[in-house]
Amino acid sequence: LRGASYMEVHASGGGINFTVRRTREASEDELYDAFQKRASIMMKNGTTLFEAKSGYGLDTDTEIKMLRVIKRGINSFPIDISATYCGAHSVPEGMTMEEATEDVITNQLPAIKKLMVQGELEVDNIDVFCEKGVFDVSSSHKILKAGQEAGLAINFHGEELHPLQSAEMGAKLGARAISHLEMVSEEGINAMADNGTVAVLLPTTAYILKLSPPPARAMIDQGVAVALGTDFNPNAFCLSMPLVMHLACIILKMTMEEALAAATINAAASLGKSKRQGSLEVGKLGDMVLIDAAR
């Protein structure tokens, strides 16, 4: 709010790395208590399926701790949760990008995969923050490919602050979804359309960071399925999908019908859930919210 950019805050030790330090200090029970409170608010705002990510540990033990919290939520909450491993959310303090990439691939992923096989963790997706000053396109490709080989679907941060051609890279890998995309190119949009990659747009982030909004209209016109998300995190503290739908209409110039589809069937598709959730159809889950309203 005082004018510092996202990466300036990040470079000063704030942002993700600040939250990493606090997450490492917290117990699993403390994290689960916060998880319960936030998930309950999401339910009250009408959410029936959401993606929960790790990414504030950046080491094997803390990433697993976060994924255990998510597993507890999967087991206890009456709504569906898709778990995403995001050990490459930031380069840990004291490490280089190359060292962090190697740690994710050779230490974190194998440990997580072992616990998945044992039934102690349930993880669906892999994420990486592909960005200038974080993980470059080459390192991101290596991490995403390793996650894919471990059985995880690719669903990652791309083209948020700088145009890096990460959308083209992700589409070539067969990414299920790419989020942010404020700086995506026409070539990136075409690649996503050709691959069937879902664009997860986050108007809360564009708003709070004062970024140019992602080109939603160009994506829709080119045939990319556009989904919406809250991007809930310490930077964009929003748990309300109705508010996100409103911002999509105002900031992203989407119609109300497009915003509704983006928050339901396309959002489910971004998590590989559209065959059984995201719309009211014969043979699908009766996954709906009943609202007592005057109209």
Side-chain angles (χ1 to χ4, degrees), residues 3 20 61 73 170 249 274 294-295:
V20 166
D61 290 344
C249 293
S274 59
R295 53 178 297 180

Side-chain angles (χ1 to χ4, degrees), residues 20 23 29 60 64 84 86 100 104 107 113-114 125 131 150 162 167 176 183 185 221 248 250 252-254 264 266 294:
V20 166
T23 304
D29 286 341
T60 302
I64 288 174
T84 296
C86 188
V104 166
N107 296 320
K113 178 66 176 178
K114 180 179 179 181
N125 319 292
E131 182 54 71
H162 299 90
R176 177 181 284 161
M183 301 299 292
S185 66
D221 293 344
I250 302 302
L252 305 184
K253 312 301 182 188
M254 295 172 66
T264 53
N266 290 354

Side-chain angles (χ1 to χ4, degrees), residues 43-265:
M43 289 173 59
K44 290 178 181 178
N45 278 292
T47 293
T48 60
L49 164 67
F50 67 90
E51 177 190 15
K53 301 186 181 189
S54 64
Y56 291 100
L58 309 186
D59 61 30
T60 302
D61 290 344
T62 316
E63 287 294 310
I64 288 174
K65 179 172 67 176
M66 294 192 75
L67 292 170
R68 287 190 188 280
V69 168
I70 297 171
K71 176 71 161 116
R72 287 171 67 177
I74 290 170
N75 291 341
S76 62
F77 266 80
I79 60 176
D80 289 325
I81 302 168
S82 181
T84 296
Y85 161 62
C86 188
H89 197 192
S90 178
V91 175
E93 293 174 318
M95 295 181 75
T96 65
M97 179 191 70
E98 293 79 8
E99 290 169 339
T101 300
E102 183 68 14
D103 181 57
V104 166
I105 293 171
T106 63
N107 296 320
Q108 295 186 35
L109 265 172
I112 290 166
K113 178 66 176 178
K114 180 179 179 181
L115 292 172
M116 290 170 61
V117 171
Q118 294 173 350
E120 295 183 37
L121 294 180
E122 188 173 330
V123 187
D124 305 305
N125 319 292
I126 184 163
D127 189 2
V128 58
F129 188 7
C130 183
E131 182 54 71
K132 184 178 179 181
V134 192
F135 290 92
D136 64 18
V137 174
S138 176
S139 292
S140 297
H141 181 278
K142 292 176 184 177
I143 291 167
L144 295 173
K145 183 67 174 175
Q148 190 177 54
E149 291 173 352
L152 304 179
I154 296 174
N155 185 341
F156 73 103
H157 295 55
E159 307 295 273
E160 180 180 359
L161 304 175
H162 299 90
L164 302 176
Q165 298 185 324
S166 60
E168 292 93 320
M169 177 272 290
K172 188 174 181 179
L173 269 178
R176 177 181 284 161
I178 304 174
S179 59
H180 289 286
L181 298 164
E182 285 83 357
M183 301 299 292
V184 68
S185 66
E186 183 177 348
E187 292 77 13
I189 293 173
N190 291 336
M192 291 177 67
D194 290 343
N195 181 63
T197 300
V198 179
V200 182
L201 306 186
L202 310 163
T204 50
T205 301
Y207 171 77
I208 194 66
L209 295 181
K210 304 175 184 176
L211 304 176
S212 297
R217 289 252 54 87
M219 295 181 194
I220 293 169
D221 293 344
Q222 197 58 35
V224 176
V226 169
L228 291 171
T230 63
D231 197 27
F232 174 78
N233 71 86
N235 174 58
F237 211 87
C238 175
L239 293 164
S240 171
M241 280 300 292
L243 175 58
V244 169
M245 294 164 71
H246 166 75
L247 291 175
C249 293
I250 302 302
I251 297 175
L252 305 184
K253 312 301 182 188
M254 295 172 66
T255 67
M256 289 187 287
E257 292 81 5
E258 288 168 344
L260 177 61
T264 53
I265 187 67

